[in-house]
Amino acid sequence: MTDKNEKEQNRMTNLILDWFCASSMMDLATELGAKAYVYYTNSAAYLGLLALLLPTRSRLTDSESEWLVPSYARPIPAASLPPHLSDPHVVALMSDLGRGIRKARGVVVNTAAELEPYALSSMAKDGNFPAVYPVGPLLNLAGGAKLSESNNRDRIMEWLDAQEAAESVVFLCFGNQGSFGAEQVKEIALGLEESGVKFLWSLRKPPPGGKICPPGEFTETQEVLPEGFLYRIGVRGLVCGWVPQTEILAHRAIGGFVSHCGWNSILEAMWFGVPIAAWPMYAEQQANAFYLVEGLKLAVGLKMNYLLVQTGVVTAQEIKNAVELLMNGADDEVVKMRARVRDVKKIIRAAAGEDETSSQAQVMRRLIDDMCVNEEA
């Protein structure tokens, strides 16, 4: 009897899977008699592309200029689809992941119901879609700085503290993999110089040719910047390497964010009420940028169809125009965009409030209740 009780106590009842394992691990969950949940780290809208659209398609054809995806209120242009979806083998793999997600008992998504109501309702309308639990925003606001980076952090924060005007600085940062070749760096520098806007630029060194690894740090940034650039911009700008992104976004001096549109960066910017200029580069970032600019209306577009692997560069004029629009644009649409960002800041902070009546707390309670259901009772 004791052995039986111990087996019952030790039996796994719930299994939370990374979404990349959604297909391969579902059989294991069944074998263990566990209820399988998938944790999905991107937007609910992109979850819909993955699990509502792709399982119905054998391939995505170049002849279609836009795609009707149930979780997006507007059709997605083909140029805003992730570039890897042009490969039929990748489409097959992603479709399989989408089908795996649909087999789960529930999908835990890092978003807030108040941020993505349209996308979440599209899944609720699908009679065969698992329950969706929007538990976000889940953010690491403490950051992850190393001791070796403390001097760089102090220099950055001292420079920001010295800015007298609130929301006067544009922040450029492109994620863990974000780096550019010399030609693109020159265009960014010239665009920032010509804009006249104060800026903080996280400039990283590309990995050595042929290697897949995170960007490194320049020993001296002037080795890649245009001659005389640092002298000409003086105290108007600060060029650095690694940055404490969330701490910077929280600073009163930051008024805009030029971003690669990774979902974590988007959520962080919205948490601190910072509007974005979208410059996506790889993976699902093109779709995120389209969603942010055209769907949620929380950003301006800088270069929506840019790819790190392409040979073309974004020109100084394009960068200048986007930075000026983001920071100083006075037309009606930009003014409304900034107002929406301020509203979203309030909305998602309320969603993640410590009060037990917050939507995040209620969703977590529903998830835990579902996990505790004894199916054999």
Side-chain angles (χ1 to χ4, degrees):
M1 180 66 101
T2 301
D3 289 344
K4 181 179 179 182
N5 288 339
E6 286 180 354
K7 287 180 181 178
E8 285 297 313
Q9 290 173 2
N10 293 330
R11 185 169 67 89
M12 186 180 296
T13 56
N14 296 288
L15 190 63
I16 300 180
L17 306 173
D18 183 281
W19 69 277
F20 277 111
C21 303
S23 179
S24 59
M25 296 290 285
M26 282 298 165
D27 290 342
L28 175 61
T30 302
E31 184 179 333
L32 294 172
K35 291 179 285 187
Y37 298 82
V38 170
Y39 178 56
Y40 188 73
T41 54
N42 208 323
S43 69
Y46 195 76
L47 171 63
L49 188 151
L50 185 69
L52 290 175
L53 174 69
L54 288 187
T56 69
R57 308 298 296 253
S58 59
R59 63 194 182 98
L60 301 182
T61 62
D62 295 335
S63 61
E64 295 181 74
S65 61
E66 57 184 23
W67 291 83
L68 296 174
V69 182
S71 52
Y72 290 78
R74 297 184 59 179
I76 303 180
S80 292
L81 289 172
H84 54 257
L85 293 184
S86 62
D87 184 335
H89 298 291
V90 174
V91 171
L93 173 63
M94 301 299 281
S95 298
D96 194 43
L97 288 174
R99 284 188 286 271
I101 289 172
R102 293 180 69 92
K103 294 178 183 177
R105 182 180 178 96
V107 186
V108 182
V109 187
N110 187 13
T111 193
E114 297 85 346
L115 179 61
E116 298 191 83
Y118 185 92
L120 292 166
S121 68
S122 70
M123 294 164 209
K125 291 175 183 176
D126 184 295
N128 296 314
F129 206 86
V132 178
Y133 299 94
V135 299
L138 302 177
L139 301 170
N140 178 16
L141 299 178
K146 303 173 186 175
L147 289 175
S148 61
E149 296 162 338
S150 60
N151 289 339
N152 197 37
R153 177 219 169 264
D154 291 345
R155 181 170 71 102
I156 293 166
M157 302 315 295
E158 286 172 7
W159 183 84
L160 285 173
D161 289 343
Q163 308 308 313
E164 295 181 1
E167 300 183 0
S168 59
V169 175
V170 64
F171 173 41
L172 296 88
C173 188
F174 303 97
N176 292 331
Q177 302 299 322
S179 62
F180 298 100
E183 188 178 4
Q184 184 62 78
V185 168
K186 178 182 177 182
E187 294 297 315
I188 296 173
L190 294 176
L192 290 172
E193 182 177 351
E194 292 171 9
S195 74
V197 173
K198 293 181 179 181
F199 65 88
L200 172 61
W201 179 10
S202 174
L203 175 59
R204 311 295 300 282
K205 188 174 185 177
K211 289 193 175 182
I212 301 176
C213 60
E217 305 295 340
F218 288 103
T219 305
E220 296 288 344
T221 53
Q222 55 259 45
E223 66 186 85
V224 70
L225 292 169
E227 185 176 354
F229 171 75
L230 293 177
Y231 174 78
R232 292 191 300 275
I233 58 115
V235 296
R236 178 164 69 84
L238 180 63
V239 182
C240 53
W242 170 91
V243 293
Q245 179 167 293
T246 53
E247 195 171 1
I248 289 170
L249 288 170
H251 200 282
R252 63 171 184 81
I254 299 299
F257 182 25
V258 179
S259 173
H260 64 303
C261 294
W263 187 242
N264 272 348
S265 289
I266 290 172
L267 290 179
E268 288 170 1
M270 294 304 105
W271 182 264
F272 294 111
V274 180
I276 290 173
W279 188 348
M281 297 180 183
Y282 52 87
E284 74 289 338
Q285 293 164 14
Q286 280 78 12
N288 286 350
F290 168 78
Y291 186 42
L292 197 63
V293 174
E294 300 293 342
L296 299 178
K297 305 284 188 182
L298 297 172
V300 299
L302 193 156
K303 189 69 172 182
M304 303 290 282
N305 59 349
Y306 179 84
L307 298 175
L308 274 177
V309 295
Q310 70 185 17
T311 56
V313 298
V314 183
T315 67
Q317 188 64 46
E318 290 174 297
I319 294 162
K320 172 181 179 290
N321 291 345
V323 167
E324 288 179 342
L325 182 64
L326 179 67
M327 299 299 290
N328 301 318
D331 63 87
D332 192 49
E333 285 304 309
V334 175
V335 171
K336 287 180 179 178
M337 181 271 292
R338 292 197 192 101
R340 276 190 289 269
V341 171
R342 289 193 293 269
D343 289 342
V344 165
K345 173 184 175 179
K346 296 175 184 176
I347 287 169
I348 64 174
R349 288 192 176 214
E354 295 181 2
D355 193 307
E356 64 179 15
T357 62
S358 71
S359 62
Q360 188 182 67
Q362 293 179 46
V363 170
M364 287 299 298
R365 192 177 300 115
R366 285 196 292 110
L367 174 60
I368 293 169
D369 287 347
D370 190 62
M371 287 180 165
C372 292
V373 170
N374 184 353
E375 299 291 345
E376 297 177 358

